[in-house]
């Protein structure tokens, strides 16, 4: 653990709480018309982008499982897996775009807010139970998939990832007071 300083768990929990409060405020104060407005810099509507912002927290749970599994294997395996995923960036981008298009039609903003609470709560509980040494475990990731993915990400990096993702996309919303 010498090369990895202790993670500021409270800062991560504070980020989750701030994002949760922001998400609820957006859902509670946005009209249906504003939800269907185009975002700034994406092909999504505000409603679709809200889903994508929520999805960043959902995917963090999967990333944690992957990192735990690959951290027990030789590092070259995760490097190869990341390269394979990088090679499939075009199909990933299509799925990444279409997923929120469909999900936002099915899941209401109020339901998204409830999901946001459950998912961030689960991440907080999981983080509280992590051994400090385990937070330094990790794996290689496909850097072409997301601007916040690094070549090698630790569990600590993954716990921080969804709020970085959330903050980035929050600036792209075209809701009153969203940017």
């Amino acid at each position: 653990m010498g090369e990895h300083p202790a993670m500021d768990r409270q800062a991560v929990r504070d980020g989750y709480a701030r994002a949760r409060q922001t998400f609820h405020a957006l859902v509670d104060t946005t009209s249906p018309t504003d939800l269907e407005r185009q975002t700034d810099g994406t092909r999504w509507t505000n409603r679709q982008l809200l889903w994508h912002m929520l999805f960043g927290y959902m995917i963090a749970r999967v990333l944690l499982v992957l990192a735990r599994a690959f951290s027990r294997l030789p590092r070259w395996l995760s490097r190869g897996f990341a390269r394979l995923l990088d090679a499939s960036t075009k199909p990933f981008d299509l799925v990444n775009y279409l997923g929120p298009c469909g999900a936002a039609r099915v899941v209401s903003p109020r339901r998204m807010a409830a999901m946001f609470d459950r998912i961030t709560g689960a991440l907080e509980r999981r983080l509280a139970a992590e051994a400090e040494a385990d937070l330094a475990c990790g794996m290689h990731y496909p850097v072409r998939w997301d601007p916040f993915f690094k070549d090698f990400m630790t569990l600590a990096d993954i716990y921080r990832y969804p709020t970085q993702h959330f903050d980035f996309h929050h600036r792209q919303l075209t809701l009153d007071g969203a940017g």
Side-chain angles (χ1 to χ4, degrees):
M1 194 177 91
E3 66 186 71
H4 298 282
M7 177 183 182
D8 185 349
R9 295 173 195 240
Q10 188 58 49
V12 172
R13 286 190 298 269
D14 291 347
Y16 292 174
R18 178 185 48 77
R20 200 168 33 244
Q21 180 180 10
T22 300
F23 198 87
H24 277 272
L26 291 168
V27 166
D28 292 345
T29 62
T30 302
S31 72
T33 301
D34 286 342
L35 285 171
E36 299 312 315
R37 187 182 313 140
Q38 204 60 39
T39 57
D40 182 19
T42 81
R43 296 185 295 164
W44 288 314
T45 65
N46 286 314
R47 181 175 176 154
Q48 293 163 342
L49 186 55
L50 284 171
W51 170 264
H52 182 75
M53 292 162 67
L54 163 64
F55 191 70
Y57 288 89
M58 295 167 71
I59 199 69
R61 295 171 72 186
V62 175
L63 297 177
L64 288 166
V65 171
L66 281 173
R68 276 189 189 84
F70 273 103
S71 72
R72 291 170 172 79
L73 301 171
R75 202 175 264 202
W76 62 266
L77 284 171
S78 77
R79 189 176 301 114
F81 183 63
R83 285 182 183 151
L84 178 67
L85 294 177
D86 263 340
S88 66
T89 297
K90 284 193 184 269
F92 167 80
D93 286 344
L94 180 62
V95 170
N96 190 44
Y97 168 70
L98 292 175
C101 292
R105 288 176 179 241
V106 177
V107 182
S108 73
R110 297 247 182 258
R111 179 103 171 96
M112 287 183 214
M115 292 170 71
F116 203 101
D117 293 347
R118 277 194 313 280
I119 292 162
T120 55
L123 285 168
E124 288 173 348
R125 287 186 298 280
R126 198 171 200 174
L127 175 58
E130 293 284 3
E132 195 65 36
D134 290 342
L135 290 170
C137 295
M139 67 176 278
H140 290 275
Y141 277 88
V143 294
R144 293 174 55 198
W145 279 28
D146 190 284
F148 300 105
F149 282 1
K150 298 184 289 186
D151 176 52
F152 189 87
M153 293 178 68
T154 64
L155 295 185
D157 295 326
I158 296 166
Y159 279 108
R160 289 186 287 264
Y161 162 77
T163 303
Q164 294 169 324
H165 178 263
F166 180 93
D167 291 342
F168 174 79
H169 286 302
H170 181 231
R171 293 186 292 272
Q172 294 176 312
L173 292 169
T174 56
L175 304 170
D176 294 333

